[in-house]
Amino acid sequence: MQPHPKGTRARILLSSVFKPFAQDDEFGSRAINPVELYHNQVTREQGPFSLRMFHRTWSLMLLQRNIAAPCTVLDFPTRQRFVRELRTHRYDIVGLTGIIVNVGKVREMCRLVREHSPASTIIVGGHVTAIPGVETLIDADHIVKGEGVSWLREYLGENTDRPLEHAVIPSSFGFRLMGLPAPRGGGNAAATIIPSVGCPMGCNFCTTSEFFGGKGKMVTFLERGEDVYRAMCEAERVIGARAFFMMDENFLLYRRRALELLALMKANGKAWSLYVFSSANAIRKYAARELVELGVEWIWLGLESTGSGYEKLKGTDTMALARELQSHGIRVHGSTIIGLEHHTPENIDAVIDHAVSHETVFHQFMLYTPMPGTPLHRAVQAEGRLLAGVDLADIHGQFKFNFIHAAISRDQSKTFLDRAFRRDFDVNGPSLYRLMMSMMTNWRRYRDDVDPRVRARVRGEAARLASGYGAALWAMEKYLKASNHTMSGRVRDLRLQIEREIGGWSPVIHRVAGPLLAWSARRNARRFPAGEVREPQTFVDRTNWAGA
């Protein structure tokens, strides 16, 4: 690779793809695929109780933090704002990132760069680069597959061996509930930490694993517990974070690093909360007490059905595991694939019922999808089972199959996916209610714990239950009374338990704020039966810009 002639003097623009997202357009956006993780993939059938929030493009923030060149990050621009940035500053390098469904937007942005800033070198990274033959679909000078910090440093002539500096990344923004704005992180400010990328488990449908080298391959940014701890401390200092979303496909798999982090948290009295991804076999490396002391409050866990054959579930009773974790107040975020090869119209209801019976706090359902670049895609293509004419913008696991399944038609796949979301909501209620049930379990079990950090953490949760969280229960109870009387009663029981056991001003707050939330929920459901269409705000961040 030839380094850029200007090196660290080059002016760089790093941009995500342009808005809008949650509507059908000529560049591949889809109304069915909004850029909201929870509302799109987890709580999408929960009406006004769906969790609404956005997440920054973390990769761009990490890249910007780790180069010395003058750099602008333009996150979620409009098409017009992107053009104005190109025309105003005349960049030497324009870096673009996108996921596979947004290849049309990446193509258009490359065209806009050629038109409005023809001297710029165009670099494209992100999952869009996994598309076979992507070089023929977009007009870019460099296609960067995999981890990008080292590549960009080398291209700029910087020291590639310099330790990675972790960016301060607020985990989410624009949080709304029942049609009203809510405190960031639900009142518990969270930061995203990225210890590593890739996944050693290597499921055949996983784009993340394949993108960073395939099964068994990972790129580690934060090797030691001390490295993770230092990044967490900075986020705590800068944005007040006390909860941390570990964006690592299997954080608990590396027990030594996790226990090093725990030792530092204990030594410095940190009552932090951790949200992690984990495979079932990694969780079994820990006693429940270790997870509680580490502050693990949320685990995203694959719950593929019996017969799936994936290594991450080998020998695991997922039902028992989920119940054990949640008995300690650890929220399980289940993830279930609909349309695996052994699923049929005859057994799909049993598959869905099995998933729902885990009673997880959150549950993601995704279609079995051969994503371009994955082993599954290559295998299905070799078998001649890829459907012709399916737009890349529709290959995301939340719409319909892009391949020929032995027993389930393309249209049936969406029917079954929607059924799974609806069944989970009807049986287990709003995830927000389940979350508060888990918080209450946590408080009852650990409010008098011998570890002062654990006590502080669960008592902080109790304070939130006694205030706005409990008011949301009041609203849920009234809203669900007509459509699901049994669930309304369960919600009421929890609200009364909170008022009775935690007390304080909770009865007053619930009855004052609850009616406002109930009114807003009904208004939101009436105005937006399919969910309000929301777009993220635009961010412009500049570093090393003085004198550029």
Side-chain angles (χ1 to χ4, degrees), residues 61 81 151 196 212 250 263 342 392 400 482 533:
M61 300 173 76
R81 180 65 182 83
W151 189 97
S196 65
F212 292 105
N250 212 335
H342 65 284
L392 286 167
K400 296 180 179 180
V533 175

Side-chain angles (χ1 to χ4, degrees), residues 25 43 54 63 89 114 148 209 270 274 297 312 315 324 340 358 362 395 407 461 483 498 518:
D25 69 12
T43 58
F54 300 103
L63 285 166
H89 294 289
R114 297 298 190 211
S209 175
K270 298 297 185 183
L274 272 64
E297 286 187 355
K312 63 185 179 182
E324 170 66 13
L340 291 169
H358 285 79
F362 300 101
I395 303 174
E461 288 195 340
S483 61
I498 292 170

Side-chain angles (χ1 to χ4, degrees), residues 353-426:
D353 287 342
H354 176 73
V356 169
S357 66
H358 285 79
E359 298 181 320
T360 59
V361 172
F362 300 101
H363 211 127
Q364 176 197 50
F365 295 94
M366 295 284 287
L367 287 178
Y368 192 53
T369 304
M371 295 295 293
T374 62
L376 178 60
H377 187 274
R378 291 192 291 271
V380 170
Q381 185 175 43
E383 295 164 2
R385 293 197 292 138
L386 284 180
L387 287 169
V390 178
D391 196 307
L392 286 167
D394 293 318
I395 303 174
H396 49 69
Q398 288 295 328
F399 181 44
K400 296 180 179 180
F401 280 158
N402 65 325
F403 73 109
I404 300 170
H405 190 282
I408 298 172
S409 72
R410 187 165 191 260
D411 288 340
Q412 283 178 318
S413 67
K414 184 179 186 305
T415 298
F416 295 149
L417 180 66
D418 293 345
R419 184 182 300 174
F421 280 113
R422 172 53 60 179
R423 186 82 53 82
D424 184 54
F425 178 55
D426 288 344

Side-chain angles (χ1 to χ4, degrees), residues 194-264:
I194 309 174
S196 65
V197 290
C199 180
M201 305 309 295
C203 297
N204 65 343
F205 56 78
C206 180
T207 56
T208 302
S209 175
E210 186 68 13
F211 186 71
F212 292 105
K215 185 173 183 177
K217 303 289 181 62
M218 296 185 69
V219 179
T220 301
F221 297 135
L222 305 175
E223 188 78 40
R224 304 167 299 163
E226 181 181 352
D227 301 325
V228 178
Y229 179 78
R230 190 182 306 115
M232 295 167 77
C233 283
E234 184 181 13
E236 181 184 50
R237 177 179 58 81
V238 175
I239 64 172
R242 298 184 64 79
F244 299 89
F245 176 33
M246 294 295 173
M247 188 58 198
D248 185 304
E249 291 290 324
N250 212 335
F251 180 75
L252 294 179
L253 190 62
Y254 298 93
R255 178 173 166 82
R256 185 179 68 178
R257 181 176 63 186
L259 294 185
E260 288 173 354
L261 173 61
L262 173 57
L264 288 165

Side-chain angles (χ1 to χ4, degrees), residues 492-535:
R492 180 177 185 273
D493 288 345
L494 177 59
R495 176 178 61 81
L496 294 177
Q497 289 169 28
I498 292 170
E499 293 177 1
R500 182 172 59 251
E501 297 181 38
I502 298 179
W505 286 94
S506 61
V508 176
I509 294 172
H510 295 177
R511 286 160 179 78
V512 172
L516 173 62
L517 286 172
W519 169 83
S520 181
R522 291 192 179 99
R523 176 175 178 269
N524 191 263
R526 185 172 60 253
R527 293 177 63 196
F528 311 107
E532 181 182 2
V533 175
R534 301 185 63 225
E535 297 286 348

